[in-house]
Amino acid sequence: MSLMREEALQAPQAAARLLGEGAGAVAQLVQHLVQAPPRAVLTVARGSSDHAAHYLAYLAMAHLGVLVTSLPMSLVTLYSARIQRDGLLALGFSQSGQSPDLVAPMRWFSEGGAHSVAIVNDAASPLAQASRWVMPLHAGPERSVAATKSFLCQLVAGAYLVATWQAQRDGERSLLQALGSLPEAMAKAAALDWSAALPLLQDAQRLMVIGRGTGLAVAMEAALKLKETCAIQAEAFSAAEVQHGPMALVDDGYPMLVFAPRGPAQPGLLALAAQMRARGAKVLLAAPPDVKEALLPLAASGHEELDAITTAQSFYGLAEALARARGLDPDAPRHLAKVTRTH
Amino acid sequence: MSLMREEALQAPQAAARLLGEGAGAVAQLVQHLVQAPPRAVLTVARGSSDHAAHYLAYLAMAHLGVLVTSLPMSLVTLYSARIQRDGLLALGFSQSGQSPDLVAPMRWFSEGGAHSVAIVNDAASPLAQASRWVMPLHAGPERSVAATKSFLCQLVAGAYLVATWQAQRDGERSLLQALGSLPEAMAKAAALDWSAALPLLQDAQRLMVIGRGTGLAVAMEAALKLKETCAIQAEAFSAAEVQHGPMALVDDGYPMLVFAPRGPAQPGLLALAAQMRARGAKVLLAAPPDVKEALLPLAASGHEELDAITTAQSFYGLAEALARARGLDPDAPRHLAKVTRTH
């Protein structure tokens, strides 16, 4: 079994650890945030971690009404932007917590009086040390180059933070309560069979992944993983954005992976899938079993907005199997494992 | 001559109109913003307009130190997020100002007491009517489906707003002064010869466009235009982000378009170009003439951070010529309409 598959299958247990052992860290942080509400919220992240940051941002804006800015790190590392730091909440997402271009901005925010939080797998990492608060991911050691369980734990951590904050601030506990059964739903999602997608994507060179709302972050993650592990040039779009240009690419047989979990964005996603199918696209629709056109089943969690997490869990099984079906080693993405230094 | 080419060549004159006839609108808005500084800034846009919003966001964060949030419109149209609206500055970018999914959030912000600003070509459009302030783009009628001059005017409008705000608030006038000579620099940029790229991209199916800092917005725009007009699956990445996964796609002959104008991001961009070339990628480097590896010349504007605008101006000539070289009509992108109606 590949490391990628092995670690993806560990995610439900890791999520349970995060929701159990991680309770103290999130409670302490949220108590502080409720007492001294931040003036603004920003995220600092790259790659898969940045997709998790997008998920948190969407949830925070939808559930808490706070605006969240995705910080271009070059503003701090290259441009010395004079951002007023006190009263900010700066959330840094990383698996390893090692990347200097992440550590530098987080240290800079800490020094300027921001509430800086490292949402990180290695709680002893430089990123954790540069931050005033740490939310450890509890994912356990991750050896696969393509992150899986650490990404899923980052999604869970983001939902956990927003849900706890909402419960403490507003007394609204539905998201928090739904998190309790999430590890079980993730285990169900990991067992779902997405192999129907394999023959359809066996020879794909180009692909679009479509999501919306909380699901867009998962489409972004899927597109990156399909690049890394399957060498498919996959790009993510929101169902609205794809109609502003990108669909010029869609012709007969063009493959599109559409994530349409429950929720307010679902009708638009299903309509788009039908429209693209009518145009001749090869639409791979991931949706709950009650959607009759669904090719790839989605498992429901305890809350519509946590279905993004079960969607990602099911997707990883496909990415790993597709890499192997295409003759690639999912544990050895080209150019990513080894470091090449040139001039 | 195609409409796309004709309209792109009108951009320098349009920019001069915006900087002249548009002075009153921006002065009035900025006077208000300096007297009553907004609590937070957000942008509302899709497609090319969203790339212009990214450029403004970067400039505003770098020059004014204010954080800018890119609003997922579905938060308002599908999720009814309870965002506190008074004291916000909401900037809506559009050419036509017709799209209902843009008008609805802007109206909602206006009704809640936000400073809403329509940065729009049609000053009588529904978007303008839904907003408390209007910055007309002065681009003149745009008939090409692939926006060119309206996008360039959106970039100029964003820089004009930030520069005027900075001048009034901080007395720092260098960006504002540099805008005076921008139309001339754009005209020079439009005349530059990028035809060396044509044989290299004649048969490309996949491509990456790399930028950073203020140049990332132009890389995003270039990637979208290459999809729309040339049917190339092009995706934009920051020079930092591409090393976190996407470069698994890069092998012998993989084409990469790298925008490396002057400024603090340039050394990293040149290093990345060299690294990718060493890996066998077909690197098309756009850089000022003093960079000896440059294939595509860039024209300097009066300020490093306005070079993004001259870069976009030069790029449009390539996109139009490449579309024709590939046997496509740049004025008739497949499946696209000028006004997109999504919800």
Side-chain angles (χ1 to χ4, degrees):
Chain A
M1 189 186 291
S2 71
L3 280 175
M4 183 185 175
R5 180 164 160 74
E6 185 184 321
E7 291 177 349
L9 292 172
Q10 292 166 359
Q13 276 188 300
R17 276 197 303 274
L18 169 55
L19 294 164
E21 297 168 33
V26 72
Q28 209 178 1
L29 170 60
V30 165
Q31 191 179 11
H32 190 83
L33 295 174
V34 171
Q35 279 168 5
R39 202 167 42 78
V41 183
L42 58 87
T43 62
V44 182
R46 277 202 207 295
S48 290
S49 297
D50 192 41
H51 308 148
H54 273 264
Y55 176 69
L56 172 137
Y58 200 97
L59 274 184
M61 292 193 269
H63 282 254
L64 300 165
V66 299
L67 293 174
V68 183
T69 297
S70 172
L71 185 85
M73 277 162 266
S74 57
L75 279 170
V76 176
T77 57
L78 297 178
Y79 283 81
S80 308
R82 281 168 303 176
I83 296 165
Q84 193 193 330
R85 291 169 285 176
D86 61 285
L88 291 185
L89 173 61
L91 303 168
F93 287 76
S94 175
Q95 192 283 120
S96 70
Q98 298 291 339
S99 179
D101 62 347
L102 207 63
V103 174
M106 288 299 283
R107 179 174 296 124
W108 184 77
F109 283 112
S110 301
E111 287 167 356
H115 306 298
S116 53
V117 183
I119 300 174
V120 65
N121 204 24
D122 179 354
S125 61
L127 186 73
Q129 287 165 27
S131 306
R132 288 169 67 186
W133 307 81
V134 182
M135 272 188 76
L137 293 174
H138 295 282
E142 189 170 62
R143 291 175 298 159
S144 168
V145 174
T148 55
K149 62 177 179 175
S150 68
F151 173 74
L152 290 163
C153 283
Q154 286 175 331
L155 295 180
V156 176
Y160 198 17
L161 176 57
V162 171
T164 307
W165 194 349
Q166 192 183 19
Q168 292 253 1
R169 194 191 70 176
D170 307 334
E172 165 55 52
R173 302 181 58 82
S174 62
L175 190 61
L176 188 60
Q177 280 164 354
L179 277 166
S181 61
L182 180 61
E184 194 185 335
M186 288 168 72
K188 279 187 192 151
L192 288 175
D193 181 8
W194 280 30
S195 62
L198 293 176
L200 298 169
L201 298 179
Q202 173 77 47
D203 301 312
Q205 294 301 308
R206 317 200 294 182
L207 180 77
M208 286 185 203
V209 192
I210 312 295
R212 204 167 183 202
T214 45
L216 181 57
V218 178
M220 292 161 72
E221 169 65 4
L224 179 58
K225 280 292 181 298
L226 289 169
K227 287 193 195 80
E228 285 181 341
T229 61
C230 300
I232 297 173
Q233 184 145 346
E235 187 171 0
F237 294 99
S238 94
E241 199 65 53
V242 74
Q243 304 188 46
H244 288 247
M247 73 180 183
L249 291 178
V250 177
D251 53 14
D252 263 2
Y254 186 96
M256 301 183 86
L257 179 54
V258 180
F259 293 142
R262 301 170 301 166
Q266 195 190 48
L269 287 156
L270 297 180
L272 179 77
Q275 188 190 346
M276 294 297 136
R277 201 178 281 117
R279 179 168 292 169
K282 197 193 286 180
V283 175
L284 290 79
L285 181 63
D290 65 305
V291 175
K292 71 173 168 32
E293 300 85 359
L295 178 76
L296 310 171
L298 289 181
S301 67
H303 193 292
E304 281 177 357
E305 283 154 44
L306 300 177
D307 286 3
I309 300 174
T310 51
T311 302
Q313 177 80 61
S314 297
F315 166 78
Y316 281 147
L318 168 60
E320 194 269 352
L322 182 60
R324 288 187 290 107
R326 290 166 69 96
L328 298 167
D329 178 355
D331 290 337
R334 291 188 307 180
H335 311 314
L336 299 182
K338 62 175 191 253
V339 178
T340 310
R341 299 200 183 278
T342 55
H343 298 282
Chain B
M1 190 186 291
S2 71
L3 280 176
M4 184 184 174
R5 181 164 159 74
E6 186 184 321
E7 291 177 350
L9 292 173
Q10 292 166 358
Q13 276 189 300
R17 277 198 301 274
L18 169 54
L19 293 165
E21 297 169 33
V26 71
Q28 209 178 1
L29 170 60
V30 165
Q31 191 179 14
H32 189 83
L33 294 174
V34 170
Q35 278 168 7
R39 201 167 42 77
V41 183
L42 58 86
T43 63
V44 182
R46 278 202 205 296
S48 289
S49 297
D50 193 40
H51 307 149
H54 273 263
Y55 176 68
L56 172 136
Y58 200 98
L59 274 185
M61 293 193 270
H63 282 253
L64 300 165
V66 299
L67 293 174
V68 183
T69 297
S70 171
L71 186 84
M73 278 162 265
S74 57
L75 279 170
V76 175
T77 57
L78 297 177
Y79 283 81
S80 308
R82 282 168 304 175
I83 295 165
Q84 194 193 329
R85 291 169 286 175
D86 62 284
L88 290 185
L89 172 61
L91 303 168
F93 287 77
S94 175
Q95 191 283 121
S96 69
Q98 298 291 338
S99 180
D101 62 345
L102 207 63
V103 174
M106 287 300 283
R107 181 174 294 124
W108 185 77
F109 282 112
S110 300
E111 287 167 357
H115 306 297
S116 53
V117 182
I119 300 173
V120 65
N121 204 23
D122 179 354
S125 61
L127 186 74
Q129 287 165 28
S131 306
R132 289 169 68 186
W133 307 82
V134 183
M135 270 187 79
L137 293 174
H138 296 282
E142 188 171 63
R143 292 175 296 157
S144 168
V145 173
T148 56
K149 63 177 179 174
S150 69
F151 173 74
L152 290 163
C153 283
Q154 286 174 333
L155 295 181
V156 176
Y160 198 16
L161 176 56
V162 171
T164 308
W165 195 349
Q166 191 184 17
Q168 291 254 0
R169 194 191 71 176
D170 307 334
E172 165 54 52
R173 301 180 60 81
S174 62
L175 190 61
L176 187 60
Q177 280 164 352
L179 277 166
S181 61
L182 181 61
E184 193 186 336
M186 288 168 71
K188 278 187 193 152
L192 288 175
D193 180 9
W194 279 30
S195 62
L198 293 175
L200 298 169
L201 298 179
Q202 172 77 48
D203 301 311
Q205 295 301 309
R206 318 200 294 184
L207 179 76
M208 287 185 202
V209 191
I210 311 296
R212 203 165 184 205
T214 45
L216 182 57
V218 179
M220 293 162 71
E221 170 65 3
L224 180 58
K225 279 294 180 296
L226 289 169
K227 287 192 194 81
E228 285 181 341
T229 61
C230 300
I232 298 174
Q233 184 146 347
E235 187 172 0
F237 294 99
S238 94
E241 199 67 52
V242 73
Q243 306 191 43
H244 287 247
M247 72 180 183
L249 290 179
V250 178
D251 52 15
D252 264 1
Y254 185 96
M256 301 183 86
L257 179 54
V258 180
F259 293 142
R262 301 169 301 166
Q266 195 190 48
L269 287 156
L270 297 181
L272 180 77
Q275 188 190 346
M276 293 298 134
R277 200 178 282 119
R279 178 169 291 169
K282 197 192 286 181
V283 175
L284 289 78
L285 181 64
D290 65 305
V291 175
K292 70 171 170 29
E293 301 85 357
L295 179 75
L296 310 171
L298 289 181
S301 67
H303 192 293
E304 281 177 359
E305 283 153 46
L306 301 177
D307 286 2
I309 300 175
T310 50
T311 303
Q313 177 80 62
S314 298
F315 167 79
Y316 281 147
L318 169 61
E320 195 269 352
L322 183 60
R324 289 187 289 107
R326 292 166 68 97
L328 298 167
D329 178 354
D331 291 337
R334 294 186 305 180
H335 313 316
L336 301 183
K338 185 71 181 161
V339 177
T340 308
R341 300 189 186 280
T342 53
H343 293 281

